[in-house]
Amino acid sequence: MNRLRRLVTPAGAALLALSASAAAQETHLLIVAGLGGEPQYAESFRAWSAALQASAEKRLGIPRSHITLLAESAGKDLAGADGRSTREELQRAFGQVAARCRPGDTVAVVLFGHGSGAGEEARFNLPGPDASARDFASWLSPFELQRIVFVNTASASGDFQKVLAGKNRIVLTSTRSSQERNEAVFGRYFSEALSSDAADADKNGQVSILEAFEAAKAQVATEYQRERRLLTEHAVLEDGEGGSLARRTFLGSRATGLVAGSPASSDPAIAALEAERRALEDRVEALKASKGSLPDDRYEAELERLLLDLALKNEEIRKRREGGKP
Amino acid sequence: MTRTRISIRRGSAASAAVALLVLPASSVLSPVVRAQGLSVPLPTARPQQKLSASEALRRGEYARAIEAARADLVATPGSGPALSRLVAALLETGAHASAEETTRAFLARNANAGEAWNTLGDVLVARGRRGEAEAAYARAIASRGAASLAAEASLGLLLNDRGLRAEATARFERLIAAYNAGRATSAQNLIAVGKACRALGASNPDAFKDALKAFDEAAALDETHEARLRTGELFLEKFNGTEARTAFETVLRTNPRQPRALLGLARARDFDGERGVPDLVDAALATDPGYAEAYAYRSGLLLALEDFPAALAQAEKALAVNPSSAEALAAKAAAQYVSGDSQGFAATRQRAESLFPASGDLLVTVAEAAVRNRLYRESAQLAREALARDPRSWAALASLGQNQLRLGEIDDARKSLERSFEGDPYNVWVKNTLDLMDTFRNYTLVDAGRFRLFLDKKEAGILGPPMGALAAEAIQKLSERYGFSPAGPIRVEAYPSHADFSVRTVGLAGLGALGVCFGPVVAIDSPQARERGAFNWGSTLWHELAHVVTMGASGNRVPRWLTEGISVHEERRARPGWGDDLSLEFLLAYQAGRLLSLRDLNNGFVRPRSPDQVSLSYYQASLVVEYMEGRYGLAALRGLLGAYAGGATTEKAFESAIGRTLEQVDAEFQAWLKARLAGPLAGIRPSGAPGSTKGPELDTRAALEARLAKDDGDFVAHAMLGLLNHREKREDDALKHLERAARIWPGSSGDESPYFAIAEIKLARGDRDGAMAALKALVALNENHDAARRQLASLLESAGELQAAFDVLESLVFIYPFDPALHERRAALASRLRKPREVVEARRAIVALDPVDKAEAYYQLALAEIDAGDRAAARRSVLRSLEVAPRFERAQELLLRIHREEKIP
């Protein structure tokens, strides 16, 4: 099986280098539970925020110091909150993140709550004065060198897209416009998607922003269907690249954006195999991109050959890690 | 030709499309002159005692109109307008002979009165003497009087009918020129211009807009209703029922007896499938007993009811009034054709063709009548013959295209419809159908043995396998039972949008049916076209395939009630719980004597007198079939179909197949039904319908309790009180009443059924067996109750009745197969039951549902395929899994395993 003996390709080496560089990137997560209005909503927003905070720390490996949680009633109703979700606190939190983040970092903002208004005046409801889309645009303006993931799961959040979309930004809203004003459940499922492997559609050990979005959207549709309600929230993702940026973006310490699983091995032999694996993965992706332009039988044969190589490579790595040689 | 996209269908689309007609986009009429005359005020109403002849005529006070017009003629013996009003009143009340006599008397005194010659021409046309009419119009034109333009248009139409199109067109063009020169400013002349434009529309569709414009201008000046009636009739011709209705209703507000408006409204309602059509035709004939077109239309209505002798009699009545009426001749020809009188049909056709040598209209009418009687192939042939006579017959092309579509000749259908649309872009039916056909790119044709399943691409993977299997089973069993196996492939189409299904079926949105059979082509709503649990697509398909067999076995001549009855009967035989069962509504209708006799049962389908009469008739027809099979055997049903195939009338078919008359069978059936319903009826009180407006109020606790205090055997009161208590969480009381209701009438399965509530209560109390018993009773009666089935499957599984649980899950596929959870449960149960093929089916459905976790879904499918021994499929599936997720370790291991085990190089 001489296929197992391939050398690290130049492309693989480049990926390896990039991987090392990417590993230094950090994620800064700001979670905001807005005004509940009614007890059941306040409880939902609290629960979703807490779940996301917990999984961000334990599962995604984001240091607690990089997570800011603002809650409607800090301390009293949400243990572990860093402050109250007022407009002033929010503005201050953005300033703190701006002060500590570095170029290349990812800044993620996730809002749970109710929304109102439209256009630049579309609002996220907070205790006290609300925060408008224009406010968020202003607060995000310092982050020119960071990747922004902005997730507004509130009702009537669709117009935030128009105001906040931009280069190196991924904006998710739970509705497609400000006209969808009914209670939205997208936030719950988005939080869940980041908290488990279920949304990991490509089985690379990480849930990308795109995967979390797709999973949450599907769950929303299922819930409405189950309850025989007309779908009144249509979540939207905009990243300026047709989903490609969101596919490459992950939250947390495993957020290399390139490969899954454990970090690059310190064992040079395994590291070399991993590089070969990445090269194969790269070729699989390249083949998939050319799917429409190849005859079906040729595509299928080439795909099977590459996937088989990849499976063999993975098997070899696994065996080496387990202590034996392939 | 490019079609203007109009997204809304039916009335709205029609309005939008044909409303364009009033916009003078590329008009042949000069816009400057066109605006003239619009400021002329409408005649105002006068006190009754001073009513003029024209106003009386407008209001439909015909006797007064005739009296006043006669007085006017006495006062001004040479007045053409006075004559015209008198003759109009006489013609509108069927006094054709008197109208002619009066006109001729006038002409005897005023031989050069051009307006009177024009009036005589109108009278003679109404009496069917077209040659004489031509001469009269020519005299009117020669006189160069006020009516010369009207006569020019009328003569042009007669010449056009005779096939002298060049001469006719020259006359129509003269009318256009007169209009553009500002010489057509009276209502009468504008109507003449409109008639000319309408005729020119056959070769220049833009002229239809001009016709509408001219009629519109005329209506502003018209002291009669002629302009509005012409407008309505033009809209009807374009299948725009909404606009047509507006025009006719406007006339009827002033004259509720106006016969043309009444007939026009009848046609518009018929077009929209509404009730009251025969009553409107009757009303039109009450005003005008000499209205040939109304008799002809009535003939068509009777033909749709398959009452061939009565249809023929009405056509003869029409011809007695007007022997050269195109509509009357077409009605007669249609009745003769559909009833199998080929000699009579040929004679009538020849007579019509001698009068209208270049027209295909008669054949188009017969083609449409053939469609109503399910003779689709014959209809297509008639349309082709119509086209051979008149290649410009866009209606014939439309009819041909629709029939080709019904016969599954999709490409040919598109060509025909595109050509029709090119010639007449205002036909809403054609436009809707072409719009629908544009969506066909979203569909795929699945080859399933002798079936071609035409399915939405997103649904094909989910619906295709169970649909193919069910269709194969159905056609085999039904063919065996009825001794007829359809030749050639059968096309089954499923539409995820009900509006699309409706357009596919009748050209318009709004059809209430779930499925339709065109012989070798069946179309149904997909389960996604309706609310979940609203219907069972499996039983619907079985029903339609039963039509394929019975229509084929009878040469498409089986009466509507019989084919529907057999189809529902066969649904019930196909699966437990499928098909209509005895309903509370049926029991109440029976009690109220609202069921139809067997002879009138077709009315229940074609012309129901109440919204529920259709469903009542379906069930009644199925009981008749059940009775006949039980009493006379399956051979009797086969015999009936065979007799119809041989061209027998219903009388002869019953005599030969059963040896009884229809009435005798009906009497026997009534006796059987009475015995059969005696049990259930014992618990049903006449005023017992939930929400009934008659009888005591049923929705309050006090009313229900009072009712039960007097009568403990009242099913509805027990059921309603039980359900009320259940809603209010008074479960002890609820259970008591619900169980009592179930004992009184165990066959209840509708909204009033106590079973689901009983199950809920018992389940909450931990009585699994009790809950299962109630749910089993319900699903044995109700084919759509998916919540009951899901619950029952869970209970059966927890009780270890795995096979029974699996069977229930399988039945859910026929209700709503687009639920991933259903297929996960199917896969799990099938796996436990060691049914590898069924696991694969379920896993394939999950993949087809496009889950978020596609890699896992394909991986699970691959595992199932390996278990089922299909390694080649497993290899394909695992590759699909890894294509999505190249690093998916379990899939990688499976791929390696397959390769190593298969030793694939």
Side-chain angles (χ1 to χ4, degrees):
Chain A
M1 300 270 280
N2 60 4
R3 269 184 236 139
L4 297 177
R5 305 287 179 228
R6 287 214 178 92
L7 297 172
V8 176
T9 62
L15 286 169
L16 194 64
L18 194 56
S19 172
S21 155
Q25 294 167 355
E26 294 185 325
T27 297
H28 307 266
L29 175 61
L30 173 56
I31 306 169
V32 185
L35 186 68
E38 294 175 33
Q40 75 268 25
Y41 295 130
E43 176 51 36
S44 293
F45 303 151
R46 267 196 298 272
W48 302 345
S49 303
L52 181 59
Q53 183 201 27
S55 64
E57 193 175 348
K58 292 170 190 159
R59 184 179 165 76
L60 303 178
I62 302 174
R64 181 63 184 89
S65 60
H66 283 21
I67 301 172
T68 306
L69 173 58
L70 301 181
E72 184 179 358
S73 304
K76 180 183 162 196
D77 295 326
L78 184 62
D82 300 293
R84 206 162 168 244
S85 56
T86 62
R87 190 173 177 281
E88 293 73 19
E89 288 282 339
L90 202 49
Q91 186 172 9
R92 186 177 301 121
F94 272 101
Q96 288 167 350
V97 174
R100 71 168 178 258
C101 70
R102 291 174 298 176
D105 283 359
T106 296
V107 176
V109 181
V110 183
L111 311 180
F112 298 104
H114 299 296
S116 56
E120 288 194 345
E121 291 310 311
R123 291 176 176 277
F124 178 67
N125 301 151
L126 297 169
D130 293 338
S132 68
R134 189 160 39 191
D135 290 335
F136 282 102
S138 163
W139 297 335
L140 287 171
S141 61
F143 301 103
E144 289 184 352
L145 300 176
Q146 286 77 26
R147 181 172 300 176
I148 302 294
V149 178
F150 186 91
V151 186
N152 186 350
T153 71
S155 50
S157 52
D159 286 1
F160 274 68
Q161 294 276 352
K162 299 174 202 161
V163 181
L164 301 182
K167 192 180 173 193
N168 209 20
R169 285 186 179 187
I170 304 166
V171 182
L172 279 75
T173 54
S174 64
T175 76
R176 64 184 166 202
S177 75
S178 59
Q179 299 305 310
E180 294 184 327
R181 295 169 185 270
N182 292 334
E183 175 210 354
V185 295
F186 177 79
R188 171 184 156 195
Y189 292 112
F190 185 76
S191 176
E192 283 181 11
L194 288 173
S195 306
S196 78
D197 285 334
D200 179 16
D202 62 6
K203 308 291 178 194
N204 66 353
Q206 293 176 289
V207 175
S208 70
I209 296 299
L210 182 65
E211 286 173 329
F213 169 78
E214 297 284 2
K217 197 174 170 184
Q219 292 283 9
V220 168
T222 303
E223 175 171 326
Y224 276 79
Q225 195 177 56
R226 187 172 57 241
E227 296 181 1
R228 299 188 177 197
R229 292 158 60 202
L230 288 176
L231 192 61
T232 54
E233 54 179 289
H234 298 82
V236 177
L237 180 151
E238 177 56 56
D239 66 359
E241 298 182 19
S244 177
L245 180 62
R247 182 182 293 113
R248 307 193 305 269
T249 301
F250 307 84
L251 301 184
S253 62
R254 289 151 68 188
T256 63
L258 295 167
V259 295
S262 52
S265 174
S266 56
D267 178 338
I270 294 178
L273 288 171
E274 286 174 340
E276 288 177 34
R277 181 173 66 184
R278 279 193 290 276
L280 281 168
E281 285 169 347
D282 215 29
R283 291 173 66 189
V284 169
E285 290 307 316
L287 179 67
K288 282 162 66 177
S290 67
K291 185 172 186 178
S293 60
L294 287 177
D296 284 353
D297 52 351
R298 193 173 146 203
Y299 172 82
E300 291 296 322
E302 181 65 9
L303 181 71
E304 183 164 11
R305 192 180 65 76
L306 287 173
L307 291 173
L308 194 61
D309 283 354
L310 192 55
L312 289 165
K313 189 69 63 187
N314 216 34
E315 186 180 60
E316 190 180 354
I317 293 169
R318 206 166 49 246
K319 284 179 179 170
R320 275 198 181 271
R321 281 205 175 120
E322 287 163 3
K325 293 200 172 184
Chain B
M1 180 164 181
T2 306
R3 271 172 277 135
T4 307
R5 300 285 156 185
I6 298 166
S7 59
I8 312 161
R9 292 204 168 99
R10 206 186 191 182
S12 303
S15 309
V18 185
L20 294 172
L21 293 174
V22 299
L23 300 174
S26 56
S27 169
V28 296
L29 302 181
S30 152
V32 179
V33 185
R34 214 175 299 132
Q36 287 183 352
L38 289 177
S39 61
V40 176
L42 287 168
T44 51
R46 297 171 196 168
Q48 195 173 7
Q49 63 272 24
K50 293 180 183 174
L51 212 56
S52 68
S54 60
E55 187 56 23
L57 186 57
R58 265 177 64 80
R59 295 185 186 185
E61 297 183 27
Y62 294 107
R64 294 184 71 187
I66 291 167
E67 186 186 347
R70 285 197 195 283
D72 289 345
L73 270 180
V74 170
T76 51
S79 167
L83 173 72
S84 175
R85 285 191 287 271
L86 175 57
V87 168
L90 291 170
L91 286 179
E92 224 162 288
T93 50
H96 294 187
S98 177
E100 182 177 350
E101 188 184 325
T102 302
T103 310
R104 289 199 184 279
F106 182 94
L107 282 166
R109 295 191 301 274
N110 308 279
N112 294 321
E115 193 164 356
W117 283 110
N118 181 56
T119 302
L120 181 63
D122 292 345
V123 172
L124 291 169
V125 167
R127 305 200 76 188
R129 283 146 55 193
R130 302 170 73 93
E132 292 176 59
E134 282 186 24
Y137 287 134
R139 289 286 299 266
I141 295 165
S143 77
R144 297 179 177 274
S148 62
L149 286 180
E152 186 90 56
S154 298
L155 180 56
L157 291 175
L158 290 175
L159 295 171
N160 202 46
D161 286 347
R162 279 210 286 136
L164 303 173
R165 285 193 173 149
E167 190 180 337
T169 300
R171 291 184 183 278
F172 297 145
E173 295 291 353
R174 281 206 282 278
L175 281 151
I176 304 297
Y179 180 94
N180 286 340
R183 287 190 287 112
T185 52
S186 69
Q188 186 185 38
N189 287 342
L190 286 165
I191 290 167
V193 171
K195 287 160 73 175
C197 289
R198 183 179 172 186
L200 288 170
S203 54
N204 170 18
D206 282 337
F208 287 128
K209 294 180 193 172
D210 294 323
L212 267 190
K213 181 73 183 168
F215 291 146
D216 203 35
E217 288 178 20
L221 306 170
D222 194 8
E223 61 177 19
T224 73
H225 295 300
E226 185 66 21
R228 286 199 194 286
L229 291 168
R230 294 270 172 191
T231 301
E233 286 159 358
L234 180 54
F235 278 122
L236 271 183
E237 183 182 296
K238 304 300 167 202
F239 296 94
N240 185 338
T242 308
E243 298 290 347
R245 183 185 294 231
T246 301
F248 296 128
E249 285 175 345
T250 302
V251 172
L252 291 170
R253 273 198 290 277
T254 309
N255 177 3
R257 299 171 59 203
Q258 217 295 330
R260 278 169 64 194
L262 287 164
L263 181 63
L265 187 59
R267 292 172 62 195
R269 284 197 184 174
D270 197 16
F271 177 68
D272 284 339
E274 293 182 7
R275 289 185 297 280
V277 173
D279 295 341
L280 286 166
V281 179
D282 290 350
L285 285 166
T287 304
D288 181 1
Y291 193 1
E293 287 72 20
Y295 288 117
Y297 200 77
R298 191 190 260 170
S299 172
L301 296 178
L302 290 162
L303 203 54
L305 291 172
E306 298 162 19
D307 189 347
F308 305 137
L312 191 60
Q314 290 299 314
E316 294 288 13
K317 273 193 177 182
L319 287 168
V321 173
N322 182 348
S324 62
S325 159
E327 290 84 354
L329 286 165
K332 183 175 180 181
Q336 290 169 319
Y337 184 88
V338 173
S339 63
D341 176 7
S342 51
Q343 267 190 322
F345 167 67
T348 306
R349 177 178 174 177
Q350 193 176 21
R351 185 171 155 200
E353 287 174 0
S354 66
L355 285 166
F356 312 106
S359 170
D361 290 353
L362 177 136
L363 292 170
V364 173
T365 302
V366 179
E368 291 310 303
V371 166
R372 287 190 179 202
N373 288 270
R374 303 174 294 284
L375 302 168
Y376 306 110
R377 202 165 292 285
E378 292 85 345
S379 179
Q381 180 54 31
L382 287 160
R384 281 192 196 92
E385 290 175 30
L387 269 178
R389 296 191 58 74
D390 179 5
R392 290 190 320 176
S393 176
W394 316 125
L397 268 169
S399 178
L400 176 60
Q402 297 288 0
N403 277 303
Q404 286 167 324
L405 196 54
R406 291 174 185 125
L407 294 166
E409 299 162 7
I410 307 301
D411 293 340
D412 290 341
R414 185 189 292 278
K415 284 179 198 155
S416 300
L417 292 170
E418 290 282 7
R419 278 179 62 204
S420 175
F421 187 80
E422 200 172 329
D424 179 5
Y426 302 113
N427 184 320
V428 175
W429 188 330
V430 171
K431 185 190 178 300
N432 280 350
T433 307
L434 283 169
D435 283 351
L436 171 67
M437 294 182 84
D438 286 347
T439 70
F440 282 5
R441 61 178 169 271
N442 301 326
Y443 289 74
T444 184
L445 202 59
V446 178
D447 200 334
R450 66 183 306 180
F451 291 92
R452 304 287 177 272
L453 309 178
F454 184 70
L455 304 172
D456 186 286
K457 285 175 183 167
K458 289 180 185 163
E459 298 189 339
I462 302 139
L463 269 182
M467 183 177 279
L470 185 73
E473 179 194 343
I475 213 71
Q476 186 209 332
K477 288 183 173 171
L478 292 165
S479 297
E480 281 172 14
R481 269 175 64 73
Y482 293 96
F484 175 86
S485 182
I490 297 168
R491 182 181 168 98
V492 178
E493 301 176 356
Y495 291 91
S497 151
H498 178 70
D500 284 349
F501 163 71
S502 184
V503 168
R504 167 67 172 102
T505 307
V506 294
L508 302 164
L511 180 73
L514 297 165
V516 66
C517 171
F518 298 119
V521 175
V522 162
I524 63 170
D525 270 340
S526 126
Q528 301 215 86
R530 304 258 180 168
E531 192 181 338
R532 181 173 176 166
F535 81 112
N536 186 306
W537 69 263
S539 67
T540 301
L541 179 60
W542 199 285
H543 179 109
E544 299 307 331
L545 291 173
H547 283 313
V548 172
V549 171
T550 54
M551 285 168 65
S554 67
N556 287 13
R557 293 183 186 278
V558 58
R560 175 79 187 268
W561 73 264
L562 181 56
T563 187
E564 297 295 2
I566 289 175
S567 282
V568 177
H569 177 56
E570 292 298 340
E571 280 181 69
R572 283 200 295 270
R573 289 176 46 82
R575 296 279 190 282
W578 278 15
D580 291 350
D581 279 295
L582 183 60
S583 66
L584 181 60
E585 291 74 21
F586 189 85
L587 287 168
L588 291 166
Y590 179 83
Q591 255 177 350
R594 292 179 52 226
L595 300 189
L596 297 169
S597 70
L598 202 42
R599 185 165 292 283
D600 291 334
L601 197 47
N602 265 353
N603 282 310
F605 299 97
V606 184
R607 306 241 169 265
R609 290 213 162 260
S610 60
D612 66 344
Q613 199 171 53
V614 178
S615 60
L616 294 173
S617 299
Y618 270 96
Y619 185 61
Q620 184 184 348
S622 76
L623 289 181
V624 173
V625 171
E626 186 179 327
Y627 164 72
M628 288 197 295
E629 183 174 358
R631 171 72 177 79
Y632 299 105
L634 183 59
L637 297 178
R638 284 184 173 203
L640 279 173
L641 296 173
Y644 284 115
T649 61
T650 290
E651 280 67 28
K652 285 187 178 160
F654 269 72
E655 188 184 323
S656 67
I658 301 181
R660 299 276 195 285
T661 65
L662 191 67
E663 278 67 27
Q664 284 172 325
V665 171
D666 198 9
E668 293 167 4
F669 166 70
Q670 290 298 337
W672 176 85
L673 185 63
K674 186 177 179 183
R676 172 144 171 169
L677 299 186
L681 280 171
I684 306 299
R685 307 295 171 253
S687 57
S692 169
T693 53
K694 294 176 183 172
E697 175 58 55
L698 272 172
D699 296 337
T700 67
R701 174 178 300 283
L704 291 165
E705 286 175 346
R707 197 161 146 167
L708 286 174
K710 280 190 272 182
D711 179 2
D712 187 50
D714 184 337
F715 164 81
V716 170
H718 276 296
M720 298 296 286
L721 190 53
L723 293 171
L724 179 63
N725 280 322
H726 181 48
R727 281 197 298 277
E728 295 178 358
K729 312 284 184 207
R730 299 161 70 159
E731 306 295 30
D732 286 341
D733 284 343
L735 197 57
K736 181 180 77 180
H737 288 292
L738 292 167
E739 290 191 323
R740 175 82 178 108
R743 281 195 300 276
I744 295 172
W745 180 32
S748 164
S749 64
D751 292 343
E752 80 292 339
S753 171
Y755 290 121
F756 197 67
I758 290 174
E760 286 183 322
I761 295 168
K762 294 200 169 182
L763 195 58
R765 294 178 173 187
D767 180 1
R768 185 175 66 190
D769 290 346
M772 282 201 298
L775 292 170
K776 282 179 181 173
L778 181 55
V779 303
L781 297 163
N782 184 322
E783 65 178 10
N784 301 331
H785 209 308
D786 70 336
R789 280 177 167 75
R790 278 185 275 130
Q791 185 66 64
L792 179 58
S794 296
L795 293 175
L796 287 165
E797 188 176 356
S798 70
E801 297 183 40
L802 300 190
Q803 182 60 52
F806 183 73
D807 291 344
V808 173
L809 291 180
E810 290 297 277
S811 74
L812 276 163
V813 171
F814 296 111
I815 298 173
Y816 191 79
F818 299 100
D819 180 358
L822 166 64
H823 299 294
E824 289 286 0
R825 292 178 69 187
R826 287 176 69 215
L829 260 179
S831 181
R832 291 177 69 187
L833 286 163
R834 300 190 187 286
K835 293 174 178 282
R837 195 174 54 81
E838 285 80 358
V839 179
V840 169
E841 278 177 17
R843 291 280 165 213
R844 284 191 176 146
I846 292 166
V847 165
L849 281 164
D850 193 24
V852 171
D853 195 349
K854 294 179 190 62
E856 182 71 27
Y858 273 115
Y859 170 71
Q860 293 295 338
L861 172 59
L863 289 178
E865 285 166 335
I866 283 187
D867 283 349
D870 190 348
R871 286 179 171 272
R875 189 175 154 196
R876 288 192 295 273
S877 296
V878 79
L879 283 175
R880 294 281 79 77
S881 174
L882 286 167
E883 183 183 30
V884 176
R887 292 283 298 276
F888 185 9
E889 276 194 6
R890 282 177 290 141
Q892 286 181 338
E893 287 164 12
L894 185 59
L895 178 65
L896 288 174
R897 182 181 141 197
I898 292 170
H899 271 252
R900 284 165 180 157
E901 288 175 1
E902 295 286 307
K903 298 191 175 17
I904 299 169

